[in-house]
Amino acid sequence: MKKLLLIFVVGAFLLAAYPASACTTTLTGKKASADGSVMVSHSDDGLGDGRLIYVPAMDHEKGSMRAVYYDGCSLGYKPEWGASETHRIVSKERGPGYNTPGYPQSVPIGFIPQVKHTYAYFDANYAIMNEHQLSIGECTDKAKVEPEPAAGKRLFYSSELSRVALERCIKARDAVKLMGELIDKYGYYGTGETLLVADPDEGWVMEMCGYDKEGTNGVWVAQRVPDDSFFVAANQFRIREIRKGARDMMYSKNIFSAAKEKGWWSPKEGKLDWTKVYGDGEYHHPYYSLRRVWRAQSLVAPSKKVSAWVEGPLTKEYPFAIKPDNKLSVEDIFSVHRDNYEGTEFDLTKGMASGPFNNPNRFEGQAEATSGNDEALTPLKGAFERPLNIYRCVYAYVNQSRKGLPDTIGGLTWFGPDRPATACLMPFYAGVNNLPAPLQQADILKFSHNSMWTAFNYVANYAMLKYSYMIKDIKAVRDQYETEAFGKQAEIEKTALALIKNKKIDEAKQMLTKYCDTNAQNILKDWWKLSETLYIKYNDGYLNTSAGVANPVFYPAWWLKQVGYEQGPLTYIKQKGEQ
C-alpha cells in the first residue's frame, strides 16, 4: 500500500507540475526604431515544441467551422486534448506543417464559425506574423484565477486567440477587438497573458485572464504603445489604471463589474488598477519579473537611471513604456534578449555559481522550475537571479512591420532557435511560400540532424562545459551569418521590390523563399560543423588545434582558491581541518 501511495503521489505531482513557460516580450514604436518599423520581440522560455511552422492561406466552404485546440502552454500537457508534450498541434486542417503522423490527433475543445479566407502566417507556441505584416509577441502572467478549459464554456487561451487573429486580421487594432470578442463570447481559460499586437502603423499591449473558475467568459484590457517608446513585459501584467473613454485604451465591458463582484475593487478606491486587481504579483520570487523589466529599460534608456530596487511587486517605478536614448535596431532588441546582466551587480557570468568558465546558466531547482506546483525541489530556501537569456528558452525572435513597403517584403521575422545568447538570427519574409523544412521539424525527445532546433540546442548545451571559451567560437560563426544577412537585406529587398513593381509578385515570393531557405540550410550545415569543432577543440578539457594537441586550459586562480585547491594534497602530513 505504501508503494502504491508513493506512485500515486509522484504521478499527481508530475501531472500538476509542468515546465514554466515564462517569457519576455517587447514592442518598439515606429518613431523609436532605427528604420521606422514597428518591432515586436518574444523569447519563449519553456522547453517544449521548438518548431516554427508555416500555415498557408486557405479558402473555406460556407458554413464550415474552425476547430479550437487546447495548448499545453496554458496549464501544461493534458492527454485528453490530444497532440503531445513535444507537438502542440497535430491536425491536417492547419496545413502540412501540423500534419505529423505518429502523434495523437489534437482534440478540439470546441468550434467557431470559419471565415471564407484565412491568411498565411508563421506559427510557433503562439502565432508570430502573417502575410500582411500583422505581428504578435507573448508572455505569461500570474493571475488570481486560472480556469481550466471546458467545452462550450471556456474555449480560448492566448495561443489560439493569436492564431485566429493572424488568420483573419490585417490591422493590430482589429486583431485586439477580435480577440476580445472571442473571449467575451467563447470564454477564456489558463494563465494570465500579455499579447503584443503590431502592424506597420501602431502597436498594442493586450492583457487577459479569467476571474471565475466556472466562468463562461474572461476579462481583458489593451493599451496602445506610444510611437516614440519601447515597451517590455516579463511574466507580470504591465497595464495599470483603466482610463474610461481614453483613445489609447480598449477593455472588456465586464472589467469593472467582475472586479466588484469578486470584491477585488470598489469605485471608492479610485481608478481600477488592472495589474493590482486582476494580477497576482510576480511568479516564484521577488524580481523574477521586475528585474528583467528594469534591465530591458536600463539597456535602451540608460540616461533614465531606472532603479534595480523597488518596494514591492506592484511598484510603479517602471513606466508602462519608455523613450529610448537612441533609436533601436533589430540587433539592439535581440541584444536585450541575449543579456545575462553582464556588467551589473547581478552579472551571472561572475562568481562561484558561474563556475571556473563564467557559465551564466542557472538551473532552477525549486518551485520556479515548474508552474502549478509550489513545493520546493530542494530543502534549501533561495533563488538565483532570473535573466532575460535563460537556458530553457526554446526560441526567440524580432518581428519588423514596415510601412511603405509591400507586405511581401515589409513583414520580416528574425528568428533564433533555442536560447538567445547562442542563437543565430535568420530572416524570413512575410511573403515566402513556405519555411525551411529543418525549422518545421523538432522533437525534444528525439535527436535529429535534420532539425534546426536540435542543432542549436546541442551546441548550447555543449558550450556549458567551457562557456567562456566556446561562446567566442559560437559568436564567430553567428556574427558572420548575422552580419551577412543584415548586409544583404537592402539588396534582396531592392530586387524583390523591382519584381513586384513589374507585377511579378509570384517571382518575388519565390526569390525570397529561396533566399531564406538557402541561408537557413547553410546555417544548419555550419552549426553541426561548429558542434564538431567544439568537440575536437576542447576535447578532454584541453585546447586542441593544428598548432598543438593537449594544451592545458587550467582553472582560474580565483576559483581554485574558493574550492580549496591550495589545501592539498601537497604533503604527507594531515592538514588542519581534514577528516
Side-chain angles (χ1 to χ4, degrees), residues 9 54 73 110 116 202 279 300 358 413 432 471 473 476 481-482:
V9 170
Y54 177 79
C73 291
K116 183 178 180 180
E202 61 179 356
V300 304
N358 310 116
T413 293
V432 297
I471 191 64
D473 296 281
Y481 272 104
E482 290 188 355

Side-chain angles (χ1 to χ4, degrees), residues 34-59:
D35 63 356
S37 63
V38 180
M39 293 188 287
V40 167
S41 72
H42 167 64
S43 62
D44 197 71
D45 300 339
L47 185 61
D49 193 340
R51 296 175 299 160
L52 177 63
I53 298 292
Y54 177 79
V55 180
M58 300 182 197
D59 292 316

Side-chain angles (χ1 to χ4, degrees), residues 194-232:
T194 294
L195 289 180
L196 306 187
V197 191
D199 60 35
D201 287 304
E202 61 179 356
W204 287 78
V205 179
M206 182 181 186
E207 298 188 324
M208 64 200 73
C209 63
Y211 64 90
D212 189 292
K213 283 285 187 181
E214 297 300 319
T216 56
N217 58 4
V219 63
W220 60 272
V221 62
Q223 184 171 343
R224 191 182 187 279
V225 176
D227 292 337
D228 64 354
S229 298
F230 168 87
F231 170 89
V232 60

Side-chain angles (χ1 to χ4, degrees), residues 234-303:
N235 306 129
Q236 186 179 19
F237 288 142
R238 295 277 287 119
I239 295 175
R240 303 307 296 257
E241 286 76 16
I242 308 301
R243 292 171 281 110
K244 293 183 178 181
R247 298 182 65 182
D248 65 340
M249 295 197 87
M250 292 184 272
Y251 45 84
S252 57
K253 293 179 181 179
N254 64 348
I255 196 168
F256 302 108
S257 59
K260 288 190 289 184
E261 174 191 324
K262 289 295 181 181
W264 296 339
W265 171 79
S266 168
K268 296 178 182 179
E269 300 172 23
K271 293 179 180 178
L272 188 151
D273 184 330
W274 165 264
T275 295
K276 179 180 179 181
V277 172
Y278 286 101
D280 196 27
E282 300 185 74
Y283 275 113
H284 310 311
H285 58 74
Y287 296 107
Y288 183 85
S289 301
L290 291 173
R291 190 76 80 211
R292 281 177 283 157
V293 173
W294 162 77
R295 182 55 170 164
Q297 290 193 348
S298 67
L299 283 170
V300 304
S303 67

Side-chain angles (χ1 to χ4, degrees), residues 15 89 97 220 248 292 424 473 497 549:
L15 286 174
I89 295 174
W220 60 272
D248 65 340
R292 281 177 283 157
C424 178
D473 296 281
L497 184 59
V549 175

